[in-house]
Amino acid sequence: MFKKLYGRSLIPALGIILCSFLAISETIDFANELWGTQLRLISAIFAENILAFTGFNIERDFTILKVADMTFDIIPACNGSKAIKVTMLCSCLMAVITKDLNPISKLKLIALSLPLAVTLNGLRISALIALSSWSGVIIHADTPMHTVLGLIFFALSIYILTKLSDQIISKQKGLREFSLFFPSLLLLIICMIPFLSACLRDWQGTSYNTNDQWSFVFFLWGTLAYIYHAKLSSKNHSQFRYGLFAAGFTLIGTSFVYFHSPSNYVLGIAFLLLISSLNLIEFGSQNTYRKSPLLLIIFCGFPKTNEKIMELLNLHIDQVLIIKFCICFILFTVVLLKYKKEVFTCTPPLPKTSYNFIFLLSSLLLGVQLYHLKQVNTESLEEKIYYPYYINDWEGFDLNSEGNEVLNRLYKKDDLAAGLMVISSQGKRQNIHTPEYCQFGIGWDVLSRETITFSDANSHEKSVSKLKLVRDDLVREFIYWFQSEHSQCASYSEFISQDTLLRIQGKKSLWKLVIVWSDDLDHLENFVKIIPPINSASLISLVDKKCEFPQNAVTKK
């Protein structure tokens, strides 16, 4: 039977397999003794870049990786030598028993298994670190999850080897044309990993912000409904060119904007547009139009949407979730009522090269993302604010500064007090957010929120956000705004849009969030009116100067 299936006798085939196994095993063991440390370093570098791409704040010291308050060391057992050995042995077995592969193709399949094993081992380590960070518990080698992940990536390596074998056989027979639908889809998913990873972190919630913890329900609701609707729909390729144009325009536009201003918001909008474009390619315009309300349901699951509605309508998070649910339920009902089973029997077949264009532009977007991953932020120098301690009758006292706070001071006059805090973006806008973001998470509720305009100490018109919060009968008032050397705005959404436009124009701004707060001032804006403007001339890089203050000023702690 073996001879009939594979064109060779049983004994020579087994002999080839055993000799190949022995040669590969001994070679890899010998290489591990020589380059085991280098393999650990390669795995650590690979995991560092993968996790940085997904949005983790990670640091590496040789083979030691640090994420948040967790430290991981790539031990010799995890350097990838075992994965290389098993993957190459499986590729060898597959090459020997596959009769359609000629000797050159067999060697090619075995050679490709080496980079495949190294890549999958790096992905496995990245997954272990990411899951440990999300769960808050380090996944050790003796835990079931560690074993399960190992089995999953082993199964994935076997699957990829079979696909590689099929492609090598197709090329060997001259059948080079094949659809890039699944490779394009995989590449698009990879491009969206930073956005999806950011969503997961916000859905998980933090000690400061829990507003987005239930948003994943809307995201899953809309996404699963969209996919299920696609399963029930009949293929209609009559308008695939419009879909290709829409997808191409979206990918080019996203690449252009992301090149100047990397942002998960941009990827989120591109995610919705690409879903619609792919649906237009496969199912036509009518089907895409009927399913468009589901995109709004998915959008309701995006982080920050709850916070924005709370800001605009001055509502509590529970009220926002109820409003969202009612809107999404109505939209979902509309889609169900408009659903109509259609069968297109005369639709033309989709050309196999249709997705080549999308694959190429997806590669462009991924290249832009990887380019920004390696950029060094030249504006991330430690900064201080050269700012007066005495303002009229107010005397300032320094408070402890944390993170990106370049100024944290409390000003007092008689029995009154007002705080002044300046937070630098250091060239990364994710470093700053509104006071609501952290205050909601520690028990403060909104009493009022509005945008006001007044003249500052230099008689310049200033538009700012005024916020009143309450907790345990204590009322705290905030006035805050975002400013850079090019612009100034009152709200977070204005800050994001203006920063994006400035970056597209080639102006990378160093933004600052200025927060003034008080528990006992009835009219906080009166204090804001007298404080000197905080401008770029106030910034001091500690590389050039060391905390310079006026000779007659005394630093108070």
Side-chain angles (χ1 to χ4, degrees):
M1 180 60 70
F2 194 96
K3 183 176 180 179
K4 182 179 179 181
L5 289 175
Y6 303 107
R8 56 174 63 89
S9 64
L10 180 61
I11 296 177
L14 289 175
I16 293 173
I17 292 173
L18 290 175
C19 290
S20 302
F21 277 17
L22 183 62
I24 291 174
S25 181
E26 290 299 322
T27 302
I28 292 175
D29 288 342
F30 178 74
N32 186 38
E33 293 180 4
L34 292 178
W35 301 304
T37 303
Q38 286 81 353
L39 278 175
R40 292 173 61 196
L41 182 59
I42 290 172
S43 298
I45 293 173
F46 191 95
E48 176 194 14
N49 285 279
I50 289 292
L51 292 170
F53 177 74
T54 57
F56 282 89
N57 187 12
I58 185 169
E59 299 177 1
R60 182 181 62 84
D61 183 9
F62 196 59
T63 62
I64 298 175
L65 299 171
K66 185 176 181 180
V67 179
D69 57 347
M70 294 183 176
T71 303
F72 305 85
D73 188 8
I74 311 301
I75 60 176
C78 290
N79 66 2
S81 59
K82 292 181 180 178
I84 293 173
K85 180 188 293 187
V86 172
T87 305
M88 292 193 73
L89 290 177
C90 291
S91 68
C92 178
L93 176 62
M94 193 175 297
V96 172
I97 66 177
T98 305
K99 66 175 183 178
D100 291 331
L101 290 172
N102 60 36
I104 300 298
S105 298
K106 294 178 188 293
L107 292 176
K108 187 184 296 184
L109 179 64
I110 296 173
L112 287 173
S113 66
L114 177 59
L116 173 64
V118 174
T119 302
L120 289 180
N121 185 65
L123 289 173
R124 181 183 66 87
I125 293 173
S126 302
L128 285 169
I129 295 175
L131 289 174
S132 297
S133 178
W134 285 330
S135 64
V137 179
I138 295 179
I139 302 174
H140 294 282
D142 55 351
T143 58
M145 180 57 70
H146 191 281
T147 305
V148 169
L149 274 177
L151 292 174
I152 289 173
F153 278 92
F154 172 71
L156 183 61
S157 67
I158 298 300
Y159 174 78
I160 295 176
L161 283 175
T162 57
K163 290 299 179 182
L164 285 174
S165 177
D166 292 341
Q167 293 303 322
I168 292 173
I169 292 172
S170 297
K171 186 176 180 181
Q172 183 179 293
K173 293 182 177 180
L175 305 174
R176 298 193 178 187
E177 267 197 14
F178 60 94
S179 175
L180 283 177
F181 172 74
F182 286 108
S184 299
L185 191 61
L186 177 62
L187 196 55
L188 287 174
I189 292 173
I190 292 173
C191 291
M192 294 299 145
I193 283 178
F195 163 69
L196 297 174
S197 178
C199 287
L200 286 174
R201 285 194 298 272
D202 284 337
W203 292 338
Q204 188 181 22
T206 66
S207 57
Y208 297 109
N209 179 41
T210 58
N211 291 333
D212 298 311
Q213 280 189 315
W214 288 100
S215 294
F216 75 94
V217 174
F218 301 103
F219 188 90
L220 290 178
W221 184 359
T223 304
L224 294 177
Y226 207 99
I227 295 172
Y228 184 69
H229 195 293
K231 287 287 185 181
L232 297 178
S233 303
S234 175
K235 297 279 187 177
N236 178 17
H237 299 142
S238 60
Q239 297 170 311
F240 76 93
R241 289 183 179 85
Y242 297 106
L244 288 175
F245 176 79
F249 182 80
T250 299
L251 287 169
I252 291 174
T254 304
S255 301
F256 176 76
V257 175
Y258 201 94
F259 180 79
H260 292 90
S261 177
S263 170
N264 288 324
Y265 295 99
V266 175
L267 292 180
I269 299 301
F271 176 77
L272 297 178
L273 293 176
L274 287 171
I275 289 177
S276 186
S277 301
L278 294 177
N279 193 84
L280 181 57
I281 294 173
E282 296 292 336
F283 302 105
S285 59
Q286 287 188 356
N287 183 279
T288 303
Y289 171 73
R290 289 171 184 164
K291 290 160 66 173
S292 57
L294 298 177
L295 297 177
L296 186 56
I297 298 178
I298 297 174
F299 179 75
C300 286
F302 284 13
K304 302 292 185 184
T305 54
N306 290 342
E307 183 179 330
K308 191 60 183 177
I309 295 174
M310 293 167 67
E311 177 184 337
L312 292 174
L313 303 180
N314 198 19
L315 297 174
H316 192 267
I317 181 62
D318 296 336
Q319 297 170 311
V320 172
L321 290 175
I322 292 172
I323 292 174
K324 269 190 174 184
F325 178 81
C326 293
I327 294 174
C328 292
F329 183 79
I330 293 172
L331 293 173
F332 183 70
T333 304
V334 169
V335 173
L336 287 180
L337 293 176
K338 284 189 174 183
Y339 174 74
K340 183 180 179 181
K341 182 68 175 180
E342 294 178 320
V343 179
F344 299 92
T345 56
C346 299
T347 182
L350 190 65
K352 289 187 175 181
T353 56
S354 299
Y355 282 95
N356 293 6
F357 182 59
I358 294 180
F359 185 84
L360 178 63
L361 293 180
S362 301
S363 302
L364 171 65
L365 176 57
L366 181 61
V368 170
Q369 291 175 301
L370 295 177
Y371 168 79
H372 274 286
L373 184 65
K374 286 298 182 183
Q375 292 307 296
V376 178
N377 182 15
T378 57
E379 297 179 276
S380 61
L381 300 174
E382 188 180 357
E383 297 164 337
K384 278 288 183 183
I385 290 289
Y386 183 84
Y387 204 72
Y389 280 85
Y390 294 94
I391 303 174
N392 292 359
D393 296 329
W394 295 82
E395 182 180 4
F397 300 84
D398 283 331
L399 302 176
N400 290 330
S401 297
E402 299 178 355
N404 299 314
E405 298 170 2
V406 293
L407 178 66
N408 190 8
R409 194 171 293 171
L410 185 68
Y411 284 88
K412 291 185 176 182
K413 184 180 75 169
D414 300 329
D415 294 331
L416 301 177
L420 174 62
M421 179 184 293
V422 181
I423 304 174
S424 173
S425 68
Q426 295 189 340
K428 298 179 180 180
R429 56 191 181 193
Q430 62 266 29
N431 286 339
I432 56 179
H433 52 72
T434 61
E436 299 100 303
Y437 184 83
C438 53
Q439 298 299 316
F440 289 158
I442 56 177
W444 292 85
D445 294 317
V446 177
L447 276 181
S448 64
R449 185 192 288 108
E450 60 180 327
T451 300
I452 61 175
T453 303
F454 58 86
S455 298
D456 62 16
N458 287 347
S459 299
H460 296 151
E461 289 291 317
K462 186 187 294 291
S463 180
V464 299
S465 291
K466 183 176 181 181
L467 175 71
K468 281 189 177 181
L469 302 179
V470 61
R471 185 181 69 176
D472 300 332
D473 297 327
L474 174 63
V475 177
R476 177 167 294 175
E477 187 171 324
F478 292 85
I479 289 180
Y480 65 89
W481 64 93
F482 301 85
Q483 68 177 55
S484 70
E485 63 272 26
H486 301 293
S487 184
Q488 186 262 323
C489 52
S491 69
Y492 188 81
S493 55
E494 289 181 80
F495 154 60
I496 292 295
S497 59
Q498 289 193 26
D499 182 61
T500 300
L501 291 174
L502 288 170
R503 287 172 184 249
I504 291 175
Q505 297 169 14
K507 302 174 182 178
K508 189 173 182 180
S509 298
L510 185 64
W511 285 87
K512 298 182 290 293
L513 170 63
V514 183
I515 303 172
V516 183
W517 59 272
S518 179
D519 293 339
D520 48 24
L521 280 181
D522 294 331
H523 300 285
L524 185 59
E525 54 267 34
N526 292 333
F527 175 74
V528 178
K529 290 178 182 179
I530 67 170
I531 64 175
I534 299 171
N535 49 45
S536 58
S538 303
L539 291 175
I540 302 175
S541 170
L542 291 186
V543 174
D544 303 320
K545 300 181 179 180
K546 296 292 184 181
C547 299
E548 297 183 3
F549 296 98
Q551 295 298 320
N552 59 348
V554 179
T555 303
K556 307 270 181 143
K557 295 292 183 183

